[in-house]
């Protein structure tokens, strides 16, 4: 028992064996510990995943392991199993999975300085009273939801908690967390990247003043992230509130998992290990035999399907009414086909904003396109501000007088004349949030206007400042992208106007309508309180479109069922399972050629029930000077697909061309 089997952060699907010096005692208790090992000409830190007596290589050929990092408890077997599952399921090397799941500090074998100060990991919440606030009396549906879910404590069960914004889902989570803590267990709550607001943190901290709460999100400094992880590893926290990476935090006494806004795209990582934190959380709940609650106003269609199919994977728990406001907002389509719009806005929307200003209420204009205008163009010769590295136009950013590509970040000055024909009369075409801001400022000169998008709120600190400004009523008109749609409580907001939404109706990605519905529903849900009814106006040229009709009727189920029917006919998820092989190269042809070889390999021994599409260029076929193509693999059976992928990926790795370009496999892809 003196050979360490070590996972290293390398793009290779294998482990590495090291021997230990004769005077060093190692045992199975070292499994899950970090170790320094020689690698190539340098050293690396890896994780011991096994301690064995024999290696396939001759022992004398093995290199000698360095120091084992014993200052911390080892990563538990359960954590190793979780990362092994991800490695298998997503076809990603184990060492890389572990490196992602572990904070960089610990990965380098360093301890965060302040680990002994346990309080340092707690949320501040200074104004929190030492006596918990009086709890609201649960509505019957809420009480039922809590009882149903709590009846499953101590074993695995997955619930879809489905209720519109304000229906009291968070209150249900809090009650379940309270019961979990009362049993001496820990709760893990996952939230979308942007929704981790002071509001939610504050609410949790105020409800559990005595609990040890750690918040974990990408805005954290490395040391803070490592401190949170160590506290979790030592069983020193009660509630972990975090974004997708938090799904990998060790929780020795885990009793409950909550995934709020489970449909949110940010739960899926779009690079490296392309995991879905929601799906991994479900696996983890099963592994740990604890209940998991997936909450949403507009569930992912997959989740809705699993919750509404008899014998399906999830139980459907519904909250059908708002907890505080009597009525949901009125939703209306403004038909813009016969109207001459003023700066992209209809008379109805402008009048509605005017009324809000008079009543000192807030309005929000939703436009999911940042920048001033999507393109600068020359009407004389047809020149457009193309990005030279991407299949996209550079966007006009007038605020800082730049043209900027939203795909690769390339920036240039705004051309004064057409670079092709010299024409001085070139224009910004179309409309983004900055232009809307300018237009509204002209029309409502006395209004306080606040634009909220990734340009104006690009750091957590700025984002918090924006939320505070809105909350304290320092803005009359908000202009925002989907950033504003998520999880915030704006007390004086009574009008939401959506402009430019139609573009998503006919997008190539089959999930685009689902995202549009969810965004509009979410953004609409921001408006209206008991005393101040809300109104949502959607400007559209397709007022009869079933998606908008379902929004007007507040009928998610109708929308979901019609979408599911379309997907059933088209053979898309949730009726099939997919994996996408993507390749990128300097020349599109090379990427396509690799995919053709990959397809040939697959077709040579294709198991029954697996189908392969043709390799095609991606819609955004060029990004950062790399040209990209993709190949879709599909099966009606997840086990069949999972059974096919490992051998295929192994063959792909062996292809000579696979080392000449970049490629990856995306299991359960979300973007097309
Ligand atoms: P959701 O998470 O579904 O958006 P919340 O749990 O945040 O809903 O509830 C919306 C608002 O209603 C919050 O201000 C919350 O404090 C309040 N609330 C929730 N449940 C009740 C209840 N049973 N009685 C009174 N107020 C409630
Ligand atoms: Zn020109
Ligand atoms: Zn670009």
């Amino acid at each position: 028992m003196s050979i360490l089997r070590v996972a290293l952060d390398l793009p290779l699907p294998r482990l590495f064996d090291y021997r230990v010096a004769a005077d060093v005692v190692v045992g199975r208790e070292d499994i899950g510990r970090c170790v320094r090992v020689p690698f190539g000409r340098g050293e690396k830190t890896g994780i011991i995943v096994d301690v064995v007596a024999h290696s396939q290589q001759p022992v004398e050929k093995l290199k000698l392991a360095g120091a084992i990092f014993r200052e911390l408890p080892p990563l538990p077997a359960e954590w190793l199993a979780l990362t092994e599952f991800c490695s298998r399921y997503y076809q990603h090397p184990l060492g890389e999975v572990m490196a992602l799941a572990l904070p960089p500090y610990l990965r380098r074998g360093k301890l965060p300085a302040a680990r002994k100060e346990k309080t340092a990991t707690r949320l501040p919440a200074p104004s929190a009273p030492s006596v918990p606030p009086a709890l609201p009396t649960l509505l019957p549906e809420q009480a039922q939801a809590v009882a149903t879910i709590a009846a499953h404590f101590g074993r695995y069960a997955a619930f879809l908690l489905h209720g519109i914004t304000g229906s009291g889902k968070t209150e249900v989570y809090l009650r379940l967390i309270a019961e979990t803590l009362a049993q001496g267990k820990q709760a893990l709550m996952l939230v979308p990247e942007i929704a981790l607001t002071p509001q939610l943190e504050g609410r949790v901290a105020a409800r559990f003043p005595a609990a040890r709460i750690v918040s974990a999100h990408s805005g954290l400094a490395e040391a803070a992230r490592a401190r949170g992880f160590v506290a979790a590893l030592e069983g020193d926290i009660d509630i972990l509130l975090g974004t997708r990476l938090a799904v990998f935090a060790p929780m020795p006494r885990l009793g409950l998992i909550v995934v709020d806004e489970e449909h949110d795209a940010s739960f899926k990582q779009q690079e490296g290990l392309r995991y879905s934190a929601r799906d991994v959380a479900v696996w983890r709940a099963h592994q740990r035999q604890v209940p998991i609650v997936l909450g949403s106003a507009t569930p992912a269609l997959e989740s809705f399907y699993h919750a509404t199919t008899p014998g399906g994977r999830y139980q459907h728990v519904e909250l059908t009414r708002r907890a505080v406001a009597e009525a949901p907002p009125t939703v209306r389509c403004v038909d813009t086909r016969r109207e001459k719009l003023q700066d992209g806005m209809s008379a109805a929307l402008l009048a509605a904003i005017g009324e809000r200003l008079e009543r000192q209420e807030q309005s929000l204009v939703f436009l999911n396109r940042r920048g001033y205008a999507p393109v600068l163009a020359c009407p004389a010769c047809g020149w457009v501000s193309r990005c030279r590295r991407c299949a996209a136009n550079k966007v006009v950013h007038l605020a800082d007088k730049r043209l900027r590509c939203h795909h690769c970040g390339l920036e240039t000055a705004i051309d004064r004349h057409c670079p092709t024909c010299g024409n001085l009369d070139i224009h910004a075409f179309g409309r983004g949030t900055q232009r809307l801001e300018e237009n509204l400022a002209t029309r409502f000169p006395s209004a306080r206007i606040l634009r909220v998008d990734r340009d104006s709120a690009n750091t957590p600190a700025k984002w918090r400042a924006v939320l505070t400004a809105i909350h304290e009523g320092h803005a009359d008109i908000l202009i925002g992208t989907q950033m504003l749609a998520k999880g915030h409580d704006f007390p004086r907001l009574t009008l939401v106007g959506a402009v430019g939404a139609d573009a998503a109706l006919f997008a190539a990605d089959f999930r685009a309508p689902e995202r549009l519905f969810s965004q509009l529903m979410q953004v609409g849900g921001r408006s209206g309180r008991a005393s101040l009814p809300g109104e949502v106006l959607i400007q559209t040229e397709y007022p009869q479109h079933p998606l908008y009709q379902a929004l007007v009727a507040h009928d998610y189920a109708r929308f979901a069922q019609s979408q599911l029917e379309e997907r059933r006919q088209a053979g898309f998820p949730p009726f099939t399972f997919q994996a996408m092989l993507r390749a990128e190269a300097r020349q599109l042809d090379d990427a396509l050629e690799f995919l053709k070889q990959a397809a040939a390999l697959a077709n040579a021994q294709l198991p029954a029930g697996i189908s392969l599409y043709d390799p095609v260029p991606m819609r955004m076929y060029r990004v950062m000077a790399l040209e990209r193509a993709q190949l879709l693999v599909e099966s009606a059976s997840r086990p069949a697909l999972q059974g096919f992928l490992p051998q295929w990926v192994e063959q792909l790795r062996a292809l000579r061309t696979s080392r000449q370009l970049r490629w990856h496999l995306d299991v359960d892809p979300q973007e097309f």
Side-chain angles (χ1 to χ4, degrees):
M1 288 289 268
S2 53
I3 291 164
L4 306 180
R5 192 148 283 171
V6 179
L8 292 175
D9 182 8
L10 293 167
L12 300 170
R14 52 166 291 205
L15 301 168
F16 296 83
D17 289 356
Y18 290 89
R19 68 197 161 85
V20 290
D23 57 339
V24 177
V25 181
V26 294
R28 298 197 66 79
E29 64 282 2
D30 288 309
I31 295 175
R33 290 204 151 105
C34 291
V35 62
R36 291 295 285 172
V37 293
F39 190 86
R41 292 208 199 118
E43 275 203 340
K44 277 186 167 294
T45 301
I47 295 172
I48 303 170
V49 298
D50 209 353
V51 180
V52 293
H54 302 286
S55 173
Q56 271 152 341
Q57 292 150 273
V59 177
E60 58 284 2
K61 287 234 169 130
L62 297 182
K63 289 191 190 156
L64 204 58
I68 297 179
F69 193 65
R70 288 185 168 126
E71 284 81 352
L72 287 179
L75 293 157
E78 194 178 67
W79 188 90
L80 299 178
L82 181 72
T83 49
E84 273 157 17
F85 161 73
C86 288
S87 166
R88 238 182 6 255
Y89 186 83
Y90 293 106
Q91 302 296 323
H92 203 78
L94 180 62
E96 286 191 338
V97 175
M98 289 181 164
L100 170 90
L102 207 62
Y105 245 72
L106 303 179
R107 207 187 298 158
R108 293 194 298 264
K110 277 210 302 189
L111 270 183
R115 68 177 277 246
K116 287 294 167 226
E117 286 170 51
K118 290 180 175 161
T119 47
T121 60
R122 283 202 210 171
L123 285 175
S127 55
S130 52
V131 186
L135 303 184
T137 309
L138 292 183
L139 298 169
E141 279 182 336
Q142 283 176 307
Q144 184 62 48
V146 172
T148 306
I149 298 164
H152 292 77
F153 275 131
R155 60 197 156 109
Y156 169 74
F159 300 90
L160 177 64
L161 181 63
H162 180 187
I164 52 169
T165 305
S167 61
K169 296 185 294 297
T170 309
E171 187 60 40
V172 170
Y173 308 147
L174 294 176
R175 298 298 172 104
L176 291 167
I177 292 173
E179 292 201 28
T180 305
L181 301 193
Q183 297 176 2
K185 300 270 179 63
Q186 299 170 311
L188 170 63
M189 181 165 177
L190 300 180
V191 295
E193 190 60 78
I194 209 68
L196 195 71
T197 62
Q199 279 176 38
L200 181 61
E201 288 182 14
R203 202 164 152 194
V204 174
R207 181 64 64 90
F208 305 105
R212 294 160 302 178
I213 304 169
V214 167
S215 112
H217 51 87
S218 63
L220 280 189
E222 278 196 6
R225 196 184 146 203
R227 270 200 302 277
F229 192 93
V230 169
L233 183 63
E234 295 186 327
D236 234 4
I237 62 177
D238 301 309
I239 304 173
L240 179 62
L241 186 63
T243 50
R244 63 174 180 255
L245 257 183
V247 76
F248 293 113
M251 304 277 277
R253 290 175 289 112
L254 184 65
L256 172 74
I257 304 180
V258 172
V259 183
D260 191 27
E261 310 282 3
E262 62 87 32
H263 64 279
D264 196 276
S266 74
F267 285 122
K268 170 88 175 172
Q269 176 147 306
Q270 299 292 0
E271 62 195 17
L273 175 68
R274 290 169 165 78
Y275 70 104
S276 153
R278 177 198 57 208
D279 296 352
V280 173
V282 171
W283 191 87
R284 194 170 176 186
H286 187 265
Q287 172 195 37
R288 197 44 195 263
Q289 291 294 306
V290 298
I292 179 167
V293 183
L294 310 175
S296 179
T298 51
L301 283 183
E302 283 89 343
S303 304
F304 182 74
Y305 175 74
H306 294 317
T308 53
T309 311
R313 251 180 259 171
Y314 304 155
Q315 298 183 43
H316 199 199
V317 177
E318 279 187 281
L319 303 178
T320 55
R321 41 178 300 218
R322 279 191 168 193
V324 279
E326 284 87 27
T330 330
V331 182
R332 235 167 8 101
C333 286
V334 177
D335 185 345
T336 56
R337 278 171 299 183
R338 281 184 199 82
E339 184 174 343
K340 188 163 179 337
L341 298 179
Q342 308 164 52
D343 295 330
M345 282 169 292
S346 60
L349 179 56
L350 289 169
I353 296 174
E355 283 168 27
R356 293 329 186 272
L357 285 173
E358 266 168 37
R359 298 206 297 257
Q360 297 182 358
E361 295 168 10
Q362 274 174 342
S363 310
L364 186 165
V365 185
F366 176 70
L367 171 60
N368 216 358
R369 192 192 292 139
R370 65 196 169 87
Y372 183 82
V375 66
L376 187 69
C378 170
C381 75
W383 170 85
V384 292
S385 54
R386 263 317 264 169
C387 174
R388 64 179 158 78
R389 300 197 291 209
C390 306
N393 293 326
K394 282 178 292 186
V395 173
V396 185
H397 281 256
L398 220 49
D400 44 3
K401 302 202 172 54
R402 305 292 280 174
L403 292 176
R404 187 173 298 139
C405 173
H406 286 185
H407 297 276
C408 72
L410 183 74
E411 281 190 28
T412 53
I414 295 180
D415 304 80
R416 289 171 185 281
H417 51 79
C418 173
T420 310
C421 73
N423 177 13
L424 285 171
D425 195 21
I426 54 178
H427 299 290
F429 283 91
R431 183 169 288 97
T433 47
Q434 289 178 11
R435 189 173 218 164
L436 200 59
E437 179 184 19
E438 180 185 280
N439 297 154
L440 282 164
T442 316
R443 281 180 193 282
F444 302 105
S446 65
R448 295 164 304 171
I449 299 179
L450 186 64
R451 172 169 56 85
V452 187
D453 54 30
R454 270 201 287 139
D455 298 313
S456 72
N458 53 5
T459 64
K462 276 194 202 167
W463 174 232
R464 276 162 202 247
V466 162
L467 290 178
T468 308
I470 299 173
H471 203 75
E472 291 178 354
H474 298 316
D476 304 310
I477 304 176
L478 310 172
I479 297 164
T481 56
Q482 56 166 344
M483 244 186 130
L484 256 190
K486 294 180 185 173
H488 312 293
D489 206 20
F490 303 146
R492 292 203 64 79
L493 181 71
T494 60
L495 172 71
V496 171
V499 301
D502 285 346
L505 290 181
F506 310 106
D509 188 336
F510 70 88
R511 284 193 177 84
E514 176 181 353
R515 289 193 201 108
L516 176 65
F517 186 90
S518 141
Q519 282 169 4
L520 290 177
M521 185 98 165
Q522 245 180 345
V523 80
R526 300 288 138 238
S527 74
R529 285 297 170 271
S531 49
L532 300 170
E535 183 179 23
V536 179
L537 297 180
I538 302 170
Q539 287 191 180
T540 172
E541 295 188 7
Y542 306 89
Q544 297 309 320
H545 193 286
L547 186 151
Y548 293 136
Q549 288 300 312
L551 276 170
V552 168
H554 299 281
D555 197 344
Y556 166 85
R558 190 210 293 181
F559 169 72
Q561 274 144 11
S562 73
Q563 282 285 306
L564 282 173
E565 194 42 45
E566 281 181 26
R567 297 226 192 145
R568 183 197 303 278
Q569 284 171 16
F572 283 143
F575 303 97
T576 52
F577 299 89
Q578 300 179 326
M580 186 75 91
L581 181 65
R582 300 196 189 94
E584 48 186 53
R586 298 257 161 234
Q587 304 288 333
L588 189 60
D589 280 348
D590 293 338
L592 283 169
E593 184 50 38
F594 171 74
L595 296 181
K596 279 180 196 150
Q597 290 178 27
L601 281 175
N603 279 321
Q605 39 166 331
L606 200 65
I610 307 274
S611 41
L612 241 60
Y613 285 64
D614 288 331
V616 286
M618 286 175 67
R619 198 152 34 90
M620 274 291 303
Y621 68 90
R622 192 163 195 269
V623 169
M624 300 192 86
L626 284 176
E627 304 197 335
R628 319 185 301 170
Q630 62 188 20
L631 167 62
L632 184 63
V633 189
E634 205 174 70
S635 175
S637 149
R638 177 176 262 159
L641 184 63
Q642 280 288 318
F644 163 72
L645 293 177
Q647 43 152 5
W648 191 42
V649 168
E650 203 180 306
Q651 290 174 322
L652 294 180
R653 286 207 174 96
L655 276 180
R656 198 161 43 86
T657 42
S658 79
R659 270 161 270 150
Q660 294 157 354
L661 44 65
R662 295 197 350 204
W663 61 275
H664 68 258
L665 189 73
D666 187 351
V667 178
D668 303 329
Q670 294 295 305
E671 313 269 338
F672 277 74

